[in-house]
Amino acid sequence: MLEAINLSKSYGGHMAVSDLNLSVATGDIYCLLGANGAGKTTTINLFMGFINPTAGQVKVNGLDVASESNETKKHLAYIPENLMLYPNLTGIENLDFFCGLAGKSYDKEQLEEMLIDCGLQPEFIHTWVSQYSKGMRQKVGIALARAREASVLLLDEPTSGLDPKASNEFSELLLSMKEKGVATLMATHDLFRAKETGTHIGIMKQGELVHSLEADAITVLELEEFYLDTMTIAKPQES
Amino acid sequence: MIRRIMLKEFKENLRQGRFRVSLLIVSLLLLIAAWLSFSYFNSIQQQHAEAKENARNIWVSQDEKNPHSAAHYGTYAFKPKYPLSLIDHGVDKYSGISIFLEAHKRNESQFMAAADQTGLSRFGDLTPDFILLFIIPLLIILTGYNAFTRERELGTWQLLRSQGLPVWKLALGKWGGVFLPIFLLTAGLFIIAAVLLGNLQDFGQFNLAALLLMFVVYLVYYAIFVNLTLIVSAISRHSGISLVSLLLVWIVVCLAMPKASSNLADAAFPYPSRQAFASAIDEDKKLGLDGHNPWNQAAKEFERETLEKYGVDSLHKLPFNFDGYRMQKGEEHEAEVYFKHYALLKETHQQQTKVYQAATVLSPFLPTRFLSMALARTDYRTHWDFADAAEKYRLKMQEALNMDFAENSSYGNWAYRADKSLWKNIPDFSYTPPSYGTVLQRNSGNLVALAVWMFVSFFGLRYFTGKI
């Protein structure tokens, strides 16, 4: 479970995230929408503990990220927009290495099976990652998240730049993890994907979470209209 | 976990062409250097044994002659070549290999290998110590300069951090990944050295513990370089900046500091010129007894004291040949003069050593170099120890010859001929170098300097990686 309580992050005078309150329960997929610079990636980075909040608190499965950064990471799996792996290692070697760092140990057959389950073509399993496409690297990332048996998944625009087929496969993998009770927070620009895979949708604007919706309560067209309206209307200025 | 990171780093390095080519070149250089050094060692060892045997044969096969003539005829003391000089040639090339032992004079060592070489030798020789001290640190830099910067440049740093891994564990793993190939390379060289030295005919002097100790000294030196490399990589923004910074560190540590400290030591505590040294000795010699000059003031005074001591009024009435006795007393006076002036040289050396010791704060190269030479017994201290032993032997030899002359002939009988057996009765020169315990005690400052570098650089690594 993920919680942001009155969370703020500022850089100099600029508020990247402002008074954010958010909760992602077990089995939920919370999709954060917003324009570039809205604060989506900053929010993910705060949950990851890569940066410290200016105010407020971030919790992962009840643990405070700021004070127990390494401990909370044991519950998390993270896939950035452009997942980079070690180019001189094969996909299976990368997976084995990162699993090992997370304290998980699998034999070769199990690792191969995980990669294949995540959609990586078998002929690429033992190929150096330098020859992988972005989509293939993202699949290794998902395999890693599954192998780590993480209860929380943080995704920062994971389908950006993927072709529709790969993007669809990625969504299916997310849904399969949802079935296993994984709480997912995903920053994305893809409204369609957010509606199809998300259980909740949040819209961020200038560091604030301006709307939070149930995905089932809205159609894709309504979401698009709502999103565009939100982006167009100027943020109310405090008097 | 640390082992896993270390093996990953090692595997990644092995898959990089740059690393493989560098490792291959350094390995080949090491093998060539070891082979050249071994051939040189064998040839010198053989020459040394032949020269030593010849010098002894020439000495013992002298005809009957006046002992003082034999003292002037003289013989040689040869400096032994020690097995570990196969790895570190030290100052052997410049310190000479033998000392001519004769009456009245303490000679400098001669037959320096450097004197036999052409001007091209200024470029330096390909020796194992050159590769161990200069080239392997470069290999460390080449292997580890991008250990942290590459993670940032590739974009793998965040994924790594997201695994909940403490950074110091990651740093230790990376440390192992850089150190492992260096350890294997160095271990390979020392195993080859052990095998070669173990198969030498003159195996008596070889000490495996000393070889292992030298191996450990080099490993500590490399550990320090790995620490420095990872610290610079951790604080640099880009791999290029890290590489340039580390090359600057290498230049300062391995090239600039040793040369600067040498110049500084020379400027602060200069040795006298050879001419000034010789003339100062001559001046002091003149102030005392000259065994060959019965008319000098000190000789006349000594004559008067001897006559008084034995209660006789003529040198002819003494129970020994006063010429031989005076010769011995003259030798003792000259020995004191030499002792005084060489002690001054040693004092200057001590003061220069203090400058070098101070410079170890800025360069781990210096303590490593000194320890390596000391363990190989190719340093100046060992050379001086040998020169002192040769001088002691010369004085004993002169005493035996002078006393034979004094006790077996009468005053004024310069026609006296000693029996050939006298030459054989004077034992051959043999030199036992200081024990390794003494060597380590003498180099305790260097050991401490290396240990401090090791701990401070490890602490620095922990500190700076914690700041990433």
Side-chain angles (χ1 to χ4, degrees):
Chain A
M1 184 180 181
L2 289 166
E3 279 177 288
I5 305 157
N6 303 325
L7 184 65
S8 294
K9 176 69 186 176
S10 67
Y11 294 102
H14 172 69
M15 289 299 283
V17 172
S18 178
D19 202 25
L20 178 75
N21 285 287
L22 178 76
S23 176
V24 184
T26 303
D28 278 358
I29 298 178
Y30 196 111
C31 298
L32 274 180
L33 297 172
N36 290 334
K40 304 187 297 294
T41 298
T42 305
T43 304
I44 300 274
N45 285 342
L46 284 163
F47 274 108
M48 284 305 303
F50 291 155
I51 50 176
N52 289 322
T54 310
Q57 208 177 10
V58 197
K59 286 184 174 180
V60 173
N61 288 344
L63 297 168
D64 181 42
V65 173
S67 59
E68 293 175 90
S69 179
N70 285 333
E71 188 58 31
T72 53
K73 287 191 180 84
K74 290 177 184 168
H75 302 260
L76 291 168
Y78 168 67
I79 302 178
E81 178 183 357
N82 195 4
L83 181 76
M84 295 308 296
L85 300 165
Y86 294 107
N88 289 348
L89 300 183
T90 64
I92 194 168
E93 284 170 342
N94 268 286
L95 182 60
D96 184 39
F97 172 66
F98 284 109
C99 282
L101 294 190
K104 301 283 178 190
S105 182
Y106 299 98
D107 60 31
K108 190 182 158 203
E109 285 73 26
Q110 287 173 309
L111 292 168
E112 281 175 346
E113 199 179 313
M114 284 179 208
L115 287 169
I116 291 166
D117 281 354
C118 289
L120 190 73
Q121 299 97 308
E123 63 269 29
F124 280 100
I125 288 173
H126 297 284
T127 303
W128 285 14
V129 163
S130 56
Q131 294 177 40
Y132 279 25
S133 66
K134 181 184 171 185
M136 290 158 80
R137 292 200 304 273
Q138 300 295 84
K139 283 169 185 169
V140 176
I142 285 284
L144 174 61
R146 291 170 77 168
R148 288 190 57 182
E149 295 169 333
S151 57
V152 175
L153 188 57
L154 292 166
L155 308 170
D156 190 5
E157 300 182 27
T159 55
S160 161
L162 291 188
D163 62 59
K165 182 173 174 289
S167 203
N168 191 49
E169 285 170 357
F170 192 86
S171 296
E172 282 175 16
L173 288 169
L174 282 189
L175 290 170
S176 73
M177 291 182 79
K178 172 181 176 290
E179 295 306 313
K180 290 177 181 166
V182 174
T184 303
L185 177 65
M186 175 167 74
T188 181
H189 288 294
D190 188 341
L191 273 64
F192 175 75
R193 203 62 58 197
K195 163 68 186 123
E196 289 303 303
T197 53
T199 54
H200 297 81
I201 297 168
I203 301 176
M204 288 191 79
K205 187 175 180 182
Q206 294 173 19
E208 289 181 15
L209 183 66
V210 289
H211 295 291
S212 187
L213 315 161
E214 296 263 341
D216 289 342
I218 195 165
T219 65
V220 176
L221 284 175
E222 285 167 346
L223 177 62
E224 186 178 21
E225 200 174 327
F226 190 67
Y227 177 78
L228 290 173
D229 285 347
T230 307
M231 292 298 115
T232 312
I233 299 164
K235 196 175 95 174
Q237 297 296 309
E238 287 179 18
S239 56
Chain B
M1 195 177 289
I2 292 168
R3 188 174 147 269
R4 185 176 283 268
I5 299 167
M6 182 178 88
L7 292 177
K8 188 277 284 180
E9 293 284 324
F10 186 53
K11 190 187 279 183
E12 267 202 298
N13 278 332
L14 280 181
R15 288 179 182 178
Q16 285 177 27
R18 182 193 68 206
F19 177 77
R20 285 203 305 269
V21 170
S22 311
L23 197 65
L24 185 71
I25 290 171
V26 175
S27 304
L28 277 174
L29 283 175
L30 262 179
L31 282 175
I32 293 168
W35 176 248
L36 288 175
S37 201
F38 182 65
S39 306
Y40 174 74
F41 180 85
N42 262 343
S43 130
I44 289 288
Q45 218 25 3
Q46 200 179 342
Q47 286 174 32
H48 178 269
E50 283 172 11
K52 195 171 184 295
E53 195 182 336
N54 283 344
R56 182 66 184 168
N57 284 341
I58 289 169
W59 173 257
V60 297
S61 59
Q62 289 178 95
D63 288 333
E64 289 180 352
K65 62 167 76 162
N66 185 287
H68 197 65
S69 298
H72 275 289
Y73 185 69
T75 188
Y76 287 90
F78 289 94
K79 187 162 79 171
K81 192 85 182 151
Y82 295 102
L84 291 188
S85 66
L86 178 92
I87 294 172
D88 195 334
H89 292 204
V91 296
D92 264 6
K93 198 171 143 183
Y94 306 96
S95 59
I97 53 169
S98 68
I99 296 177
F100 181 55
L101 308 172
E102 60 175 328
H104 313 301
K105 280 175 86 175
R106 175 174 180 166
N107 290 303
E108 294 285 324
S109 62
Q110 51 189 345
F111 306 121
M112 297 165 193
D116 294 335
Q117 292 185 310
T118 66
L120 287 176
S121 66
R122 292 293 300 161
F123 290 124
D125 296 328
L126 182 64
T127 55
D129 58 294
F130 169 73
I131 294 166
L132 289 169
L133 283 161
F134 292 91
I135 304 298
I136 292 187
L138 271 181
L139 185 65
I140 291 172
I141 290 172
L142 204 63
T143 309
Y145 76 94
N146 60 357
F148 286 101
T149 51
R150 185 185 50 181
E151 299 281 2
R152 288 195 284 263
E153 286 162 354
L154 277 178
T156 45
W157 183 245
Q158 282 198 327
L159 189 62
L160 260 185
R161 293 301 314 278
S162 72
Q163 308 306 312
L165 182 72
V167 182
W168 68 267
K169 278 193 177 178
L170 181 69
L172 275 183
K174 285 188 173 289
W175 190 94
V178 179
F179 189 74
L180 183 62
I182 302 301
F183 173 82
L184 294 176
L185 186 69
T186 314
L189 172 77
F190 277 82
I191 288 169
I192 290 170
V195 170
L196 291 177
L197 293 172
N199 285 308
L200 284 177
Q201 285 182 339
D202 182 17
F203 189 56
Q205 302 277 7
F206 176 54
N207 185 319
L208 187 63
L211 184 76
L212 282 173
L213 194 57
M214 189 188 261
F215 177 57
V216 171
V217 166
Y218 277 106
L219 289 186
V220 171
Y221 177 54
Y222 299 147
I224 293 166
F225 253 97
V226 173
N227 291 345
L228 293 177
T229 301
L230 293 185
I231 287 171
V232 173
S233 183
I235 60 178
S236 298
R237 283 182 181 276
H238 303 289
S239 295
I241 293 171
S242 173
L243 181 61
V244 171
S245 308
L246 282 164
L247 289 176
L248 278 174
V249 168
W250 180 81
I251 289 169
V252 170
V253 167
C254 296
L255 298 179
M257 275 315 294
K259 288 187 188 299
S261 48
S262 172
N263 288 349
L264 198 67
D266 263 344
F269 304 103
Y271 280 111
S273 69
R274 187 173 289 271
Q275 195 183 8
F277 183 66
S279 60
I281 288 173
D282 282 346
E283 286 303 313
D284 276 0
K285 272 187 181 179
K286 281 178 198 164
L287 297 175
L289 199 151
D290 180 353
H292 271 299
N293 181 6
W295 308 108
N296 93 331
Q297 199 184 338
K300 293 306 285 179
E301 179 65 18
F302 177 60
E303 185 182 312
R304 191 189 58 72
E305 283 171 9
T306 309
L307 288 173
E308 196 177 300
K309 183 179 170 189
Y310 285 90
V312 293
D313 56 4
S314 164
L315 295 174
H316 290 279
K317 291 179 184 170
L318 287 168
F320 49 82
N321 181 347
F322 184 72
D323 283 331
Y325 194 44
R326 188 181 57 234
M327 212 64 75
Q328 176 56 26
K329 288 296 162 187
E331 201 70 62
E332 286 171 13
H333 161 65
E334 285 155 354
E336 275 176 25
V337 170
Y338 280 115
F339 181 81
K340 175 188 154 193
H341 286 275
Y342 274 87
L344 289 173
L345 280 190
K346 283 179 191 171
E347 197 182 311
T348 308
H349 180 259
Q350 284 298 322
Q351 286 167 324
Q352 289 202 351
T353 302
K354 281 180 187 164
V355 175
Y356 284 116
Q357 292 281 357
T360 58
V361 172
L362 293 170
S363 168
F365 173 94
L366 288 168
T368 311
R369 168 97 262 189
F370 289 131
L371 277 167
S372 174
M373 288 196 301
L375 290 168
R377 290 178 164 151
T378 55
D379 60 340
Y380 267 119
R381 281 190 110 147
T382 305
H383 178 71
W384 275 7
D385 197 70
F386 158 74
D388 285 347
E391 176 64 1
K392 271 186 195 161
Y393 175 79
R394 184 183 76 84
L395 293 175
K396 281 201 168 176
M397 186 174 91
Q398 297 308 316
E399 187 181 8
L401 294 170
N402 286 328
M403 294 319 287
D404 180 89
F405 184 32
E407 287 165 5
N408 297 304
S409 64
S410 55
Y411 180 62
N413 180 16
W414 282 92
Y416 166 70
R417 298 284 179 271
D419 188 72
K420 288 163 100 173
S421 63
L422 176 61
W423 326 132
K424 278 185 188 164
N425 287 342
I426 293 174
D428 196 6
F429 172 72
S430 82
Y431 169 64
T432 308
S435 69
Y436 281 108
T438 308
V439 168
L440 290 180
Q441 196 184 3
R442 283 176 178 174
N443 282 277
S444 55
N446 290 318
L447 285 168
V448 169
L450 215 52
V452 168
W453 262 102
M454 175 90 166
F455 287 113
V456 169
S457 61
F458 258 123
F459 178 78
L461 180 63
R462 176 90 199 248
Y463 176 78
F464 286 108
T465 49
K467 293 236 162 211
I468 299 176

